[in-house]
Structures are given as C-alpha cells and as structure tokens.
Amino acid sequence: MNAAVDTRAPAPIVQSDPFTREFMDDPYPGFAAMRAAGPVLWSPQYGCYIVARHDDVQRVLSEWQTFSSAAGVGLANFSKEKPWRPPSIVLEADPPLHTRTRTVLARTMTPGVVKALRERFEREAEILVDRVLDMGAFDGITDFAEHYPVKVFPDALGLPEKGRENLLPYGSMVFNSFGPRNEFTEAAMANADSVRGWIMANCTRKALGKDGLGAMIYAAVDSGELTEDEAGMLVRSFLSAGVDTTCNAFGNLLWCLATHPDQWRKLREKPELARNAFEESLRYEGPAQAFFRTTTKDVEIGGIRIAANEKICAFMQSANRDPQRWERADAFDIERRVVGHMGFGTGIHGCVGQPIARLEGEAVFAALARKAKTIELAGEPKRQYNNVLRSFASLPVRVTRA
Ligand code: 4IA
C-alpha cells in the first residue's frame, strides 16, 4: 500500500447560511468572507461544496464534462432524490441531449428574430414608461418591472393572454426549488398544482399562436429534430426561465438608477448607454445568484479534493463582485467594460435567451432615459426573498418628465 501522505487540504467550512433572510438582506459581506476563506468551501448544513471566486465559478460553469447539470442545477441531487417536476431537457441535461435541444432554442433567438421583435418591444417600452411618468409616484416592481416582461415575451412566444398571472408564481416555484427546502420553497409551492397545470396546458402546439417563437419550436418536430413532448418541454423552459428573470433584472436596475444619481445623469445624457447599463446591473446586482453542478469524477479545485457525485454551488453573484476580477468591484458604473460577468452564467448553459433579455432591457431603459428627468426612491424598498433570485418585492419610486 502506498503510504504517501495526502497533502491536499480539506475544504474550509462555510460560516454563513446563504439561504436565509439575514444573508439575502446584504449578501456581499458574506460573499467576501466566502472568497477569503478558500477556493472551495464545504457546507455541513447542506452537504454541498461552494465556490465563490470569479475564476472558480467560471471553471465550474465551463467544464461541463466534470461538473454535470444532468443531476439538477439546484441542491437536490436527482441521482438521489426525485425532482419536483420532470427535469428540463436543456437546463438539467448534458450533451448530447443538451446540444440538440439548445440548438432548437438558439434558432428562435437569432439576430434576425431579435430584429423582427425590436419594433414591437420598443413600442411597448414607450407605453410602459409613459404610464409610470403619468403616475409620477409608482411601485417599481408591480407597476413597472413586472409588467413588461410578462407582456412582451409571452406575446413573442404566441402564448394566450388568459392566465398569464400564473407566470410569476411559476417562476417563483422554479427558482426557489433550486435551493434547499425551506420557508421560501414552502411558500412558493402554495398553489403549485393549479399553476403547474396552467403552464403545462399552455405549452402545447394548439395553445400557441401560429407565428411566434413557440411555433418555431414545434417546427422542429415537423423537421424531425424533436418529439412533440420535447417541444412542449422546451416551451416550458421559455416560461420557466424567460419571465421572472427579466422582471427581477428590471427592478434591480431601476433601484440602481434611483440610488446612483451620477449614473442616472450619465444615462440621461446618453440614452445609448442603456444597453451597457443593463449589462452592468446584471454584474452589480444580478438576479441569478447561484446554480449547482454535480461532479462526474474526483476533481481538485485550488488543491482541494472533491469526490465524484458531489454537489457544488457556484455563486455567480459573488463572482460578479470579486475584486480579483473587477476594478472597483462594488461600484455601479454604467460605462464599465462588463464582459466576463456571470449574470447570464457562462459555458454551454449560458443564458440562451440573452439576446431577447438585452433587447428588453435596452428598449425599456433607453425609453426611460429619454423621457424621464429625475428618478428617486420615494420610500423604503422591500426585498423579495427567493433561494436563487435576488430582487425586490416593492420599490417605491418617484419620477418627473424630461
Ligand atoms: C428550464 C437558470 C434559469 C434561468 C432557468 C430556469 C429554468 C430553465 C432554464 C433556465 O426550465 O429549462
């Protein structure tokens, strides 16, 4: 027997619980402590590893052969416990399945498709901004951030109008379920059956319009790339991933602008900065905090050994504030060169909908920059607690017209 000493260090123990209100109220000191403690931490409470430094998060999200998505991208390990819904065939999948499904999704987000959507998205953005300017004082979440993505994206999909109020509750179920079973998951699952029922019923070919993104997915059935059931599952992916995320991003950017008057001034002077402002908000205050992977074999990160079939949580929002990667990491700067942020993830699972998310962000915040003169908080924001999504439940804002 080889008596060589194993010099690899054990992972330091994580000192905080990231799935609590206290942590979510201000996660940044907690992230800094995680980054300082080591390249990989161990959570005895959740039985998972955590990476929080930019380069390690990037590695875990990039090396899909070692860090698999097929056992789920939440804490639950699908090889050990039954998932709460049939797994996504794109998010919770590895190649070759992932390659086939992602190819179909990507075809619905090409520059040509985005170009065709732009006019409609810009028109709706003007309507949204005019309405809140007429209100003067409004809630940045319920009157603003939650309106637009729930309208324009389902319109583009060809989803019926009726029942769209199920979309955000479904998003809450999906994203809370990536975390541990706790009070947030329990609350999100309150109306699970009726919400899930509506979602599944509206993923079918006959529920969707004839010339939307949904129909493009079903066209891949006719060309032999997908089965009819798989097409429904990919429409479900749109509804899972494409609404709550953008709503939360809008609320977060609105908060950033209302609390950083110098950056708001810059944006007003140059509305063409809207696209980069949206991008910087995904770095500075991104909605998606973390996703998990499962090791497919023994692996080392920064000299720390991790066995096969272990869960690793990659804290994207910590990577987004890592001072080793970013100058003035904690400054919101809409002119920053922001490539490399983890707000859309990275690697083969990097957000497939990002061209549409960017179109939405650019349309809304460019319209706001052109039409509004001042924007400020009119009350205390209230946080929305979710295991994975960072956002506000309420954001009282006051605006004046330019
Ligand atoms: C799916 C990571 C997040 C944006 C996401 C959530 C659900 C799905 C995909 C992505 O159901 O496929």
Side-chain angles (χ1 to χ4, degrees):
M1 165 115 192
N2 187 340
V5 176
D6 191 338
T7 54
R8 293 171 294 196
I13 304 287
V14 62
Q15 294 299 329
S16 50
D17 180 351
F19 301 106
T20 59
R21 284 168 202 261
E22 298 67 49
F23 190 95
M24 294 172 192
D25 281 334
D26 183 11
Y28 297 108
F31 288 151
M34 288 183 194
R35 292 190 302 264
V40 189
L41 312 185
W42 169 251
S43 166
Q45 182 181 7
Y46 296 119
C48 70
Y49 291 89
I50 294 178
V51 289
R53 297 177 183 173
H54 182 278
D55 292 359
D56 298 316
V57 169
Q58 179 161 297
R59 177 178 167 208
V60 166
L61 296 183
S62 300
E63 290 178 22
W64 59 266
Q65 295 93 336
T66 307
F67 304 104
S68 166
S69 291
V73 301
L75 176 61
N77 185 336
F78 294 175
S79 76
K80 300 178 184 169
E81 48 182 301
K82 188 174 176 287
W84 70 281
R85 60 171 193 166
S88 163
I89 58 172
V90 61
L91 178 76
E92 294 154 333
D94 293 333
L97 171 60
H98 168 271
T99 314
R100 180 164 60 86
T101 52
R102 168 125 183 163
T103 300
V104 174
L105 287 180
R107 198 181 296 146
T108 71
M109 312 272 182
T110 59
V113 174
V114 170
K115 190 161 171 247
L117 292 173
R118 178 173 286 273
E119 200 185 314
R120 254 196 285 163
F121 278 40
E122 287 180 345
R123 194 173 347 112
E124 289 297 333
E126 304 257 328
I127 293 170
L128 174 77
V129 168
D130 280 331
R131 198 176 53 228
V132 296
L133 284 169
D134 286 343
M135 292 171 82
F138 65 97
D139 190 308
I141 305 304
T142 54
D143 298 323
F144 178 83
E146 288 183 356
H147 263 258
Y148 185 84
V150 174
K151 164 114 187 91
V152 298
F153 187 58
D155 282 355
L157 277 180
L159 202 69
E161 302 261 352
K162 193 164 165 287
R164 288 185 185 181
E165 65 279 5
N166 287 291
L167 289 167
L168 291 178
Y170 190 65
S172 175
M173 287 161 58
V174 168
F175 286 91
N176 275 307
S177 297
F178 293 128
R181 285 200 193 159
N182 57 16
E183 56 172 317
F184 309 127
T185 335
E186 288 299 309
M189 290 296 172
N191 286 318
D193 287 343
S194 75
V195 172
R196 231 183 322 202
W198 184 86
I199 293 288
M200 293 320 292
N202 284 278
C203 289
T204 58
R205 192 194 287 257
K206 74 175 194 309
L208 297 159
K210 295 229 173 327
D211 48 23
L213 274 47
M216 292 174 74
I217 302 276
Y218 277 96
V221 178
D222 306 330
S223 64
E225 290 164 276
L226 298 175
T227 66
E228 189 87 9
D229 286 350
E230 286 174 333
M233 287 293 281
L234 289 185
V235 175
R236 192 193 74 173
S237 288
F238 273 149
L239 303 184
S240 305
V243 184
D244 219 349
T245 44
T246 24
C247 288
N248 290 323
F250 278 24
N252 291 353
L253 175 50
L254 190 67
W255 175 81
C256 288
L257 294 171
T259 54
H260 296 80
D262 57 325
Q263 300 301 307
W264 167 246
R265 204 171 314 122
K266 260 198 245 177
L267 181 60
R268 263 199 78 210
E269 280 162 17
K270 288 193 206 162
E272 64 275 16
L273 284 173
R275 200 172 171 87
N276 204 61
F278 183 61
E279 211 66 27
E280 166 69 344
S281 78
L282 295 179
R283 182 197 71 84
Y284 180 76
E285 199 70 335
Q289 301 298 284
F291 289 105
F292 293 72
R293 296 290 187 263
T294 310
T295 51
T296 57
K297 55 178 189 232
D298 288 11
V299 60
E300 254 183 50
I301 298 179
I304 293 169
R305 196 189 135 263
I306 299 174
N309 202 22
E310 295 284 352
K311 279 279 172 175
I312 304 187
C313 179
F315 259 106
M316 291 143 52
Q317 191 51 32
S318 171
N320 282 345
R321 296 288 194 103
D322 185 347
Q324 298 286 345
R325 172 62 182 76
W326 306 100
E327 273 173 41
R328 298 178 304 115
D330 291 326
F332 175 63
D333 176 1
I334 68 169
E335 288 179 298
R336 174 194 293 277
R337 221 178 101 78
V338 75
V339 294
H341 77 73
M342 294 290 137
F344 283 127
T346 191
I348 65 167
H349 289 279
C351 178
V352 71
Q354 54 187 292
I356 291 186
R358 288 194 175 111
L359 172 63
E360 293 184 27
E362 182 180 11
V364 167
F365 287 91
L368 191 68
R370 283 194 311 270
K371 288 174 173 256
K373 182 161 136 203
T374 61
I375 170 160
E376 58 190 11
L377 289 186
E380 198 55 38
K382 275 203 204 63
R383 190 145 290 289
Q384 176 77 254
Y385 297 98
N386 179 298
N387 281 325
V388 162
L389 288 180
R390 176 164 183 73
S391 65
F392 295 97
S394 162
L395 184 62
V397 168
R398 199 164 27 234
V399 285
T400 56
R401 263 191 201 277

